[in-house]
Amino acid sequence: MDDHRWTRGWLASVGALSVLMGCHGGPQATPQATAPQPGPTVSAPPNSHLKREEIFFIKGDSTLSPGAIEKLQRCATAWDAGGTWVLAFPSDSGVLFDVLERRLLALRVQLRKFGVQKLETRLLPQEPEGKYDVIYIEKNVP
């Protein structure tokens, strides 16, 4: 791909990544799409609330900081490790595919250490670029 950044074909790659990593409900490629489309929204069960926390990454790095690991542990405790968790990330963020892949894997490994077993990925609409790259962890809780 040109300059190793995501292009139109990256959506298919993310879909393949979600299959390889055991993710369910990840983005789907559509042949007619000319631009990345957001994935399906997470619908909250009745009487529940969507909880969301940001995990920030230094540009080009996939390492979880000690603060990020503490945040993941607090969330796993407060939100209950059971149920379905979502790793959501903005589309077309300019992040290299291999960096995104390592970040998602690092989050999955750490959350599994805290008892989270069911993880899905979700593609979000494009967001303005910030100082740090972000992946959101989400869960519907009662």
Side-chain angles (χ1 to χ4, degrees):
M1 287 188 238
D2 295 334
D3 80 345
H4 301 308
R5 294 196 181 263
W6 294 351
T7 61
R8 232 181 295 175
W10 75 271
L11 189 56
S13 300
V14 172
L17 171 65
S18 66
V19 170
L20 291 172
M21 293 178 63
C23 303
H24 305 286
Q28 301 296 316
T30 56
Q32 299 85 358
T34 57
Q37 299 296 314
T41 58
V42 174
S43 57
N47 301 320
S48 70
H49 299 72
L50 180 64
K51 298 289 187 179
R52 176 189 252 195
E53 286 290 337
E54 300 167 317
I55 303 296
F56 292 104
F57 292 89
I58 295 172
K59 302 258 184 220
D61 191 8
S62 59
T63 307
L64 289 171
S65 70
I69 293 170
E70 288 177 24
K71 183 184 275 190
L72 293 171
Q73 185 173 25
R74 281 194 313 269
C75 291
T77 301
W79 301 353
D80 179 24
T84 301
W85 290 60
V86 177
L87 300 175
F89 54 95
S91 66
D92 198 25
S93 62
V95 176
L96 298 175
F97 181 76
D98 62 326
V99 173
L100 175 63
E101 183 179 34
R102 287 192 311 266
R103 289 174 179 176
L104 291 171
L105 183 59
L107 287 166
R108 292 177 64 79
V109 166
Q110 196 62 53
L111 285 167
R112 287 198 189 275
K113 287 180 182 178
F114 299 134
V116 175
Q117 296 300 310
K118 189 170 181 186
L119 280 162
E120 297 179 352
T121 57
R122 184 164 61 94
L123 182 64
L124 299 172
Q126 185 174 355
E127 294 180 358
E129 189 171 332
K131 181 177 179 181
Y132 299 103
D133 295 334
V134 66
I135 295 179
Y136 301 96
I137 56 169
E138 301 176 340
K139 184 177 182 208
N140 285 315
V141 295

